Amino acid sequence: MNAVPQAVNAPLTRTALFLVVTVNPGLDQRTSVRSLCGDLASLVRSVGFRDLDGSLSCVMGIGSGAWDRCFGQPRPAELHAFREIRAGGRHAVSTPGDLLFHIRAEHFDLCFELATQIMARLENTASSVDEVHGFRYFDARDLLGFVDGTENPKGQAAVDATLIGDEDEAFTGGSYVIVQKYLHDLAGWNALSTEKQERIIGRTKLSDIELDDATKPSSAHNALTTIVENGREIKILRDNMPFGRAGGDFGTYFIGYSRSPRTIEQMLDNMFIGNPPSNYDRLLDFSRAVTGNLFFVPSETFLEEVTVDEPTAVLVPKSSDVEQLPSNLPVPDGSLRIGSLKGNRAHE
């Protein structure tokens, strides 16, 4: 039987809640996590039934360490800890996170209710380390004023870009997701002319048209976040959202789904290190990453078949979970911003 994926490719919604938690050590905590896996789809149905037009969905992701403690073997082939990147003054941080819940709906009350139910199930088991409330901003723009998500794949292309196939048969229908919270220096950004902003992003601000190659710098965001392998552009699916408080921090919550984490990792290398090195993404002069996590998203079929009492081998974390991994490997499907966009080859 084919595995049914989680709602990775659910339609974009007006609101979202991004919840990252850490799980306490111990067998009781492992039991609670496994119990929630089997019941998550039922929770979503129960809350969503209160507003059938609300388009409620939830994607659950599992971090590398949490997978070892709660599931053991077999293990997703490319699951590892988020790779920290330092280059010049730019820093893609790696922050704690065992579980991700990406909750989407047309109305925020549904997101909040489901998140509350999830945390009630994890009481005394897990602690929230990051909770972000996202919203759609006018005509799908980010707080920088540019349309976000233009190059997202659709239909079968989205399926091909996000869902694991025969390359990891034990986890067919699964996906990988990377999340980062970026804070923006809007005062500095808004001090730039529109033309300078467009050259940094690689698209026109008003009409959302990609700049032609003669005009667009090689350091443009959409140039650096386009990954080409064997002459084919490798796509990812983004569901980024603005967030913030008028009197506090604000920015963009980046969330990218892909059938291989190497795609997004190559984008981040290009952005933070540069392609070639030092030809980095000038958007990072105005946007600072303050979180960074990588999760595996098992299929819905996998989650529903998890049982509380199933024996699991407890593994010692692999060295690959803490070491830098090579990023110049072939990748399957991409684009990033902190937004949408297009560009050129990964650096060597």
Side-chain angles (χ1 to χ4, degrees):
M1 182 178 69
N2 292 332
V4 176
Q6 291 193 65
V8 169
N9 290 304
L12 304 184
T13 53
R14 298 294 305 175
T15 66
L17 192 153
F18 306 95
L19 179 63
V20 177
V21 306
T22 54
V23 178
N24 303 326
L27 289 178
D28 290 344
Q29 285 71 25
R30 171 186 173 276
T31 297
S32 295
V33 170
R34 292 179 66 92
S35 175
L36 176 61
C37 289
D39 293 343
L40 183 60
S42 177
L43 272 179
V44 175
R45 287 193 297 269
S46 296
V47 175
F49 192 74
R50 299 169 68 174
D51 183 351
L52 295 178
D53 296 323
S55 302
L56 177 66
S57 68
C58 177
V59 172
M60 179 180 181
I62 302 165
S64 180
W67 186 278
D68 289 341
R69 298 197 303 274
C70 296
F71 301 98
Q73 295 287 6
R75 199 173 193 279
E78 296 191 79
L79 179 58
H80 56 265
F82 180 85
R83 295 191 302 109
E84 180 182 39
I85 304 172
R86 289 183 181 271
R90 301 172 298 283
H91 187 194
V93 298
S94 177
T95 49
D98 289 325
L99 304 176
L100 166 72
F101 298 95
H102 178 201
I103 304 172
R104 287 175 277 188
E106 289 301 314
H107 312 295
F108 188 74
D109 53 352
L110 289 170
C111 297
F112 182 79
E113 176 65 17
L114 181 57
T116 300
Q117 294 293 338
I118 289 171
M119 290 307 296
R121 290 289 301 269
L122 294 175
E123 186 179 10
N124 302 321
T125 296
S127 301
S128 170
V129 292
D130 194 36
E131 179 178 331
V132 175
H133 299 175
F135 54 87
R136 288 285 164 217
Y137 190 60
F138 295 110
D139 51 337
R141 294 179 185 269
D142 56 28
L143 296 182
L144 302 174
F146 285 77
V147 175
D148 194 347
T150 303
E151 297 298 331
N152 265 345
K154 296 177 176 61
Q156 187 59 45
V159 172
D160 294 340
T162 57
L163 300 185
I164 294 168
D166 294 340
E167 69 270 24
D168 192 1
E169 291 185 2
F171 296 102
T172 299
S175 186
Y176 292 91
V177 60
I178 286 179
V179 296
Q180 292 177 292
K181 182 166 66 176
Y182 285 86
L183 301 182
H184 297 330
D185 171 16
L186 284 186
W189 178 257
N190 290 332
L192 299 178
S193 67
T194 297
E195 290 74 17
K196 287 183 178 180
Q197 292 179 359
E198 291 175 341
R199 287 172 60 83
I200 290 173
I201 298 297
R203 304 185 79 89
T204 58
K205 191 170 187 177
L206 179 61
S207 59
D208 188 38
I209 303 299
E210 183 176 2
L211 300 183
D212 60 58
D213 291 340
T215 304
K216 181 170 56 180
S218 60
S219 62
H221 177 76
N222 63 353
L224 293 172
T225 58
T226 293
I227 305 300
V228 176
E229 181 66 29
N230 297 324
R232 183 173 68 95
E233 182 180 351
I234 309 300
K235 292 284 190 178
I236 67 169
L237 182 72
R238 302 164 311 282
D239 198 0
N240 305 346
M241 277 199 162
F243 69 89
R245 296 174 296 133
D249 292 335
F250 40 77
T252 296
Y253 197 91
F254 166 74
I255 179 165
Y257 291 98
S258 177
R259 66 191 295 168
S260 168
R262 289 172 290 167
T263 307
I264 302 174
E265 289 170 339
Q266 187 65 70
M267 293 176 181
L268 294 176
D269 280 349
N270 290 354
M271 288 174 61
F272 282 82
I273 299 171
N275 183 20
S278 79
N279 187 49
Y280 70 92
D281 188 343
R282 268 52 181 182
L283 188 56
L284 297 178
D285 293 340
F286 305 93
S287 294
R288 177 170 57 94
V290 295
T291 69
N293 300 98
L294 166 64
F295 301 95
F296 176 69
V297 178
S299 68
E300 184 174 303
T301 302
F302 178 96
L303 292 179
E304 291 187 338
E305 292 179 351
V306 170
T307 59
V308 172
D309 58 352
E310 181 179 336
T312 298
V314 178
L315 304 180
V316 176
K318 299 178 180 179
S319 61
S320 60
D321 284 348
V322 295
E323 296 176 351
Q324 293 283 326
L325 298 179
S327 61
N328 58 344
L329 301 174
V331 291
D333 270 293
S335 178
L336 177 53
R337 195 167 90 243
I338 355 189
S340 51
L341 322 165
K342 274 192 180 272
N344 49 7
R345 296 181 63 87
H347 73 80
E348 298 181 350

